[in-house]
């Protein structure tokens, strides 16, 4: 009987405990009730709407991903051959925290030059990153940890994710003039004034080439003037180079802004990505590099970059790094890649010429001389909405057109639609 009474008391005690909220007075269903839906990404949201549109005439010029002249994704021949070679290996181990040493070495040559003395002197701290986004985020966290009182100057406009990256790294942001809406060109005077008036030793984010979203880049002479002013003000330049090779078809030419700063003695940071110029969008392979005083400092900085990466993702992915190192490490494959990059760039250059000519032939009252890798069209949000609702043409509401989505099959349709919604301007 005593044992039975004890069993009954224990059962009652368990029922009482189960009836009580485990975490104080909060019910299990209320932990996330205050979470609201996040706003849609302005670029990726365009793709979602495009995919949901059943119209056979739909056109997507919102996302900066390369397409062939049939509007289809492209896998480069050099990538296919690299994949074939890699398929014979069975290495599946973790990469080091800093990533593939071979991939990083080859990547630095693209930015700093094949015969760079900085590479020979081992003055560059560099790690493999999760494409360009990951490189920017790693640097933003590095800036916050070791220059906690600093802020970042970001151009107006810029790729929208730049603001998210430095915001989430808790680095205060300021902006500087870049685009001139009236001329649809570079606001060089405004840019130089802002660089001059920024506190000495400020951090600036610069687009190395193919500025996103405007497609407007400084001339070589303007880059030289910018570099000299940065030097006088002791500013730090962080270059985001997401489109090396895409702007001109020549990776060395597209790195000219960086080479100018290096020639002038700057210590800089660079974000590099292979999403666009090798078509490795889903592989998320890139590189972050920081030029240091000497080899000893570079070793120290790299150790801290790796330390930042450890709690984020521990190690970068293997496969994309294997593809890049296989291509860039083989002279024949690298030569093939350079040819394919030029083919992609030439197609884009041809399409922007055709689009401009088509608009001018239609009698467009607007100037289209500004069309580059991206075209900051000057279309108003209302005009963009009309393009979508009446013509099934999709782009971000700031009017940015990605020329990579323009083909010989849709360029006439696109030009006519743009003319129709702008001719009353």
């Amino acid at each position: 009987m005593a044992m039975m009474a004890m069993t009954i008391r224990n059962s009652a005690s368990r029922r009482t405990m189960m009836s009580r909220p485990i975490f104080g007075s909060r019910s299990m269903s209320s932990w996330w009730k205050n979470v609201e839906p996040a706003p849609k990404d302005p670029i990726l949201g365009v793709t979602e709407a495009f995919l949901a549109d059943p119209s056979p005439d739909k056109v997507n010029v919102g996302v900066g991903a390369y397409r062939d002249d049939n509007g289809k994704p492209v896998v480069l021949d050099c990538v296919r051959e690299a994949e074939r070679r890699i398929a014979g290996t069975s290495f599946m181990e973790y990469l080091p925290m800093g990533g593939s040493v071979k991939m990083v070495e080859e990547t630095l040559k693209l930015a700093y030059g094949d015969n760079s003395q900085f590479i020979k002197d081992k003055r560059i701290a560099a790690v493999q990153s999760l494409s360009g986004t990951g490189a920017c985020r790693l640097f933003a966290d590095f800036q916050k940890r070791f220059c906690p009182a600093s802020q970042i100057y970001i151009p107006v406009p810029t790729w929208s994710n730049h603001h998210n990256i430095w915001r989430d790294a808790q680095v205060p942001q300021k902006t500087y003039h870049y685009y001139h809406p009236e001329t649809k060109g570079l606001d060089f005077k405004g840019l130089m004034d802002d660089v001059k008036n920024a506190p000495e030793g400020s951090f600036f984010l610069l687009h190395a080439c193919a500025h996103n979203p405007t497609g407007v880049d400084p001339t070589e002479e303007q880059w030289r003037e910018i570099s000299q002013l940065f030097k006088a003000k002791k500013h730090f330049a962080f270059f985001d180079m997401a489109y090396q090779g895409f702007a001109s078809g020549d990776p060395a030419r597209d790195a000219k802004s960086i080479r100018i700063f290096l020639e002038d003695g700057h210590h800089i940071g660079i974000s590099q990505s292979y999403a666009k110029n090798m078509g490795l969008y889903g592989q998320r392979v890139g590189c972050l590099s920081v030029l240091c005083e000497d080899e000893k400092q570079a070793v120290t900085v790299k150790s801290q970059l790796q330390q930042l990466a450890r709690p984020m993702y521990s190690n970068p992915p293997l496969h994309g790094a294997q593809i890049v190192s296989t291509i860039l490490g083989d002279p024949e494959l690298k030569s093939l890649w350079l040819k394919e990059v030029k083919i992609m760039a030439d197609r884009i250059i041809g399409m922007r010429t055709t689009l401009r000519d088509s608009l001018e032939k239609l009698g467009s009252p607007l100037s289209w001389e500004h069309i580059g890798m991206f075209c900051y069209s000057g279309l108003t949000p209302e005009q963009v909405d009309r393009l979508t609702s009446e013509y099934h043409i999709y782009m971000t509401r700031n009017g940015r057109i990605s020329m990579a989505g323009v083909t010989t099959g849709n360029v006439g349709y696109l030009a006519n639609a743009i003319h129709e919604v702008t001719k009353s301007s």
Side-chain angles (χ1 to χ4, degrees):
M1 290 292 291
M3 182 64 71
M4 184 180 295
M6 183 178 295
T7 301
I8 293 172
R9 285 197 299 273
N10 287 343
S11 297
S13 177
R14 282 196 297 271
R15 284 196 300 273
T16 301
M17 291 176 64
M18 290 175 66
S19 67
R20 294 173 183 164
I22 296 176
F23 302 104
S25 60
R26 182 187 293 272
S27 70
M28 294 294 286
S29 62
S30 67
W31 282 102
W32 314 118
K33 70 178 182 180
N34 294 324
V35 177
E36 297 181 356
K40 285 190 175 182
D41 183 275
I43 297 175
L44 300 184
V46 169
T47 299
E48 291 177 8
F50 169 79
L51 293 173
D53 188 340
S55 172
D57 299 322
K58 64 182 180 180
V59 177
N60 185 3
V61 288
V63 180
Y66 182 78
R67 296 291 183 262
D68 66 16
D69 203 42
N70 295 312
K72 303 298 183 183
V74 174
V75 179
L76 301 184
D77 289 339
C78 62
V79 171
R80 291 187 189 277
E81 174 58 21
E83 291 263 42
R84 187 190 67 77
R85 298 183 188 183
I86 294 166
T89 67
S90 57
F91 183 78
M92 294 293 172
E93 296 296 311
Y94 288 124
L95 284 174
M97 281 189 290
S100 165
V101 173
K102 184 178 180 183
M103 190 281 290
V104 170
E105 288 176 350
E106 295 296 336
T107 300
L108 293 181
K109 293 177 187 177
L110 287 179
Y112 294 83
D114 286 331
N115 300 309
S116 169
Q117 193 61 44
F118 303 119
I119 296 176
K120 294 176 183 177
D121 292 342
K122 300 180 179 180
R123 287 179 52 190
I124 306 170
V127 296
Q128 182 183 334
S129 64
L130 304 184
S131 202
T133 301
C136 287
R137 180 56 195 265
L138 266 182
F139 182 80
D141 281 335
F142 180 75
Q143 178 186 348
K144 178 63 178 180
R145 179 168 293 185
F146 295 100
C147 298
S150 68
Q151 53 197 4
I152 185 78
Y153 280 80
I154 294 178
V156 177
T158 193
W159 178 48
S160 59
N161 213 23
H162 281 146
H163 293 291
N164 301 333
I165 289 166
W166 268 269
R167 178 201 66 209
D168 282 7
Q170 299 181 25
V171 176
Q173 299 176 38
K174 293 243 175 139
T175 59
Y176 65 91
H177 288 83
Y178 188 87
Y179 181 72
H180 199 291
E182 285 73 29
T183 64
K184 295 184 173 64
L186 181 69
D187 184 359
F188 187 63
K189 182 181 183 304
L191 183 157
M192 294 293 278
D193 285 345
D194 288 344
V195 172
K196 181 179 179 180
N197 294 328
E200 187 173 283
S202 294
F203 286 77
F204 276 77
L205 170 67
L206 301 171
H207 295 232
C209 61
H211 180 272
N212 183 3
T214 69
V216 174
D217 293 329
T219 64
E220 182 175 328
E221 183 55 41
Q222 287 172 331
W223 274 122
R224 294 191 183 281
E225 291 186 50
I226 293 168
S227 174
Q228 287 300 317
L229 184 54
F230 265 61
K231 192 170 185 178
K233 292 288 297 186
K234 299 181 174 62
H235 293 329
F236 185 91
F238 181 75
F239 286 92
D240 187 359
M241 186 161 58
Y243 294 94
Q244 185 179 13
F246 255 53
S248 68
D250 179 359
R253 181 178 174 183
D254 289 350
K256 188 63 178 178
S257 58
I258 289 172
R259 306 287 172 82
I260 288 170
F261 271 67
L262 294 175
E263 290 167 8
D264 288 344
H266 293 276
H267 292 171
I268 62 174
I270 307 174
S271 162
Q272 292 171 261
S273 167
Y274 291 102
K276 310 301 189 300
N277 58 18
M278 280 193 188
L280 301 178
Y281 303 99
Q283 296 296 338
R284 312 310 296 147
V285 55
C287 181
L288 167 64
S289 62
V290 180
L291 178 60
C292 301
E293 293 279 356
D294 51 35
E295 181 181 358
K296 181 180 178 181
Q297 187 180 82
V299 170
T300 300
V301 170
K302 181 179 177 180
S303 72
Q304 292 293 347
L305 294 176
Q306 292 178 153
Q307 192 71 22
L308 286 165
R310 176 63 169 159
M312 282 190 194
Y313 53 83
S314 193
N315 316 79
L318 171 66
H319 190 66
Q322 288 180 312
I323 294 173
V324 172
S325 58
T326 300
I327 292 171
L328 297 183
D330 180 278
E332 184 178 343
L333 280 184
K334 183 175 181 180
S335 177
L336 176 58
W337 172 65
L338 291 172
K339 290 177 183 177
E340 291 186 286
V341 168
K342 190 170 190 318
I343 289 171
M344 291 190 290
D346 285 349
R347 195 192 80 74
I348 292 171
I349 291 169
M351 284 300 97
R352 69 194 190 205
T353 300
T354 302
L355 177 60
R356 182 174 65 242
D357 291 347
S358 298
L359 285 162
E360 290 172 352
K361 287 177 182 177
L362 288 167
S364 175
L366 305 176
S367 171
W368 299 99
E369 291 295 325
H370 57 284
I371 297 177
M373 166 67 192
F374 296 104
C375 166
Y376 213 50
S377 63
L379 292 165
T380 66
E382 292 74 25
Q383 289 168 337
V384 171
D385 290 342
R386 278 192 64 195
L387 283 175
T388 301
S389 62
E390 297 177 27
Y391 299 94
H392 306 276
I393 294 171
Y394 292 83
M395 65 182 73
T396 51
R397 294 189 82 232
N398 61 8
R400 185 197 82 157
I401 298 173
S402 172
M403 295 306 301
V406 183
T407 69
T408 54
N410 65 31
V411 65
Y413 179 75
L414 176 64
N416 182 72
I418 291 174
H419 180 57
E420 287 298 318
V421 302
T422 59
K423 63 183 180 182
S424 60
S425 299

